[in-house]
Amino acid sequence: MISEEEKKVLSLLEKLNIAYTRHEHPPVYTVEEARRYYSGMKGAQCKNLFLRNGKGNRHYLVILEDSKRADLKQLAEKAGESKLGFASPKRLLKYLGVEPGSVSAFGLINDLEKEVVVVLDKDLLKDEWINFHPNVNTATLTISVDDFMRFLEHCGNRIL
């Protein structure tokens, strides 16, 4: 069964003429759990982290290859912040409209005020395809990297 959150993502992708392949799987909460279901999925697998600055007045969605470790000090430097840390589930729901385990670039459709800054690992753009949860952790969507960039452009958030 497709949730309302996922229907919202699929509807926008269709409106933007973005083709996708949907892969259904049991709920996953970590990259390690998700790896069990990668077979048959082409393209880059992503790790998505929702961070906040030390004051809690700026938020960042970090999108990187799932095999990479995020260096929070280096990310803070890149973002011009003194410190970055993980945002609370309450903030995650407020800004991206998702629960822990479902963090995804597609959550940007819920950031109507464009408050979240996207930090994008450029290595992800080397692949032809990219995979994200459709704002629920029971499915993964594969889209082309070109279409992903069009999606980000449509959302209008600042990208680092």
Side-chain angles (χ1 to χ4, degrees):
M1 190 167 111
I2 297 178
S3 70
E4 289 304 312
E5 294 86 3
E6 185 176 354
K7 284 179 186 175
K8 189 174 174 183
V9 171
L10 299 179
S11 175
L12 177 61
L13 294 180
E14 289 165 10
K15 178 182 167 195
L16 296 174
N17 292 316
I18 293 177
Y20 59 86
T21 302
R22 184 176 181 276
H23 310 271
E24 200 165 317
H25 49 71
V28 292
Y29 295 90
T30 65
V31 167
E32 290 72 30
E33 289 177 28
R35 283 188 179 131
R36 291 184 233 159
Y37 307 104
Y38 285 175
S39 75
M41 286 187 213
K42 59 186 172 184
Q45 300 295 339
C46 298
K47 180 187 299 186
N48 300 274
L49 308 173
F50 189 59
L51 306 176
R52 67 193 261 305
N53 69 352
K55 292 180 181 178
N57 61 351
R58 282 190 291 280
H59 296 83
Y60 299 87
L61 175 63
V62 179
I63 305 169
L64 65 159
E65 284 186 339
D66 74 335
S67 61
K68 291 187 176 183
R69 290 186 58 92
D71 181 336
L72 295 188
K73 284 185 181 180
Q74 186 180 22
L75 286 169
E77 213 173 274
K78 181 176 181 170
E81 301 286 358
S82 59
K83 179 181 170 185
L84 289 176
F86 288 93
S88 67
K90 184 178 176 182
R91 287 175 186 267
L92 181 58
L93 190 59
K94 176 182 177 183
Y95 290 96
L96 295 182
V98 298
E99 302 284 338
S102 299
V103 181
S104 166
F106 293 132
L108 294 170
I109 67 175
N110 296 314
D111 180 22
L112 303 178
E113 302 299 318
K114 312 301 178 212
E115 295 181 70
V116 176
V117 176
V118 176
V119 181
L120 183 61
D121 174 8
K122 302 296 186 225
D123 287 343
L124 289 170
L125 307 180
K126 293 176 183 175
D127 208 308
E128 188 177 346
W129 304 97
I130 194 164
N131 294 283
F132 293 101
H133 289 311
N135 293 346
V136 295
N137 65 355
T138 54
T140 300
L141 300 181
T142 303
I143 64 172
S144 77
V145 168
D146 289 343
D147 281 343
F148 172 59
M149 296 309 292
R150 277 196 315 116
F151 168 81
L152 286 178
E153 188 178 306
H154 169 82
C155 289
N157 294 69
R158 190 163 68 101
I159 301 172
L160 294 180

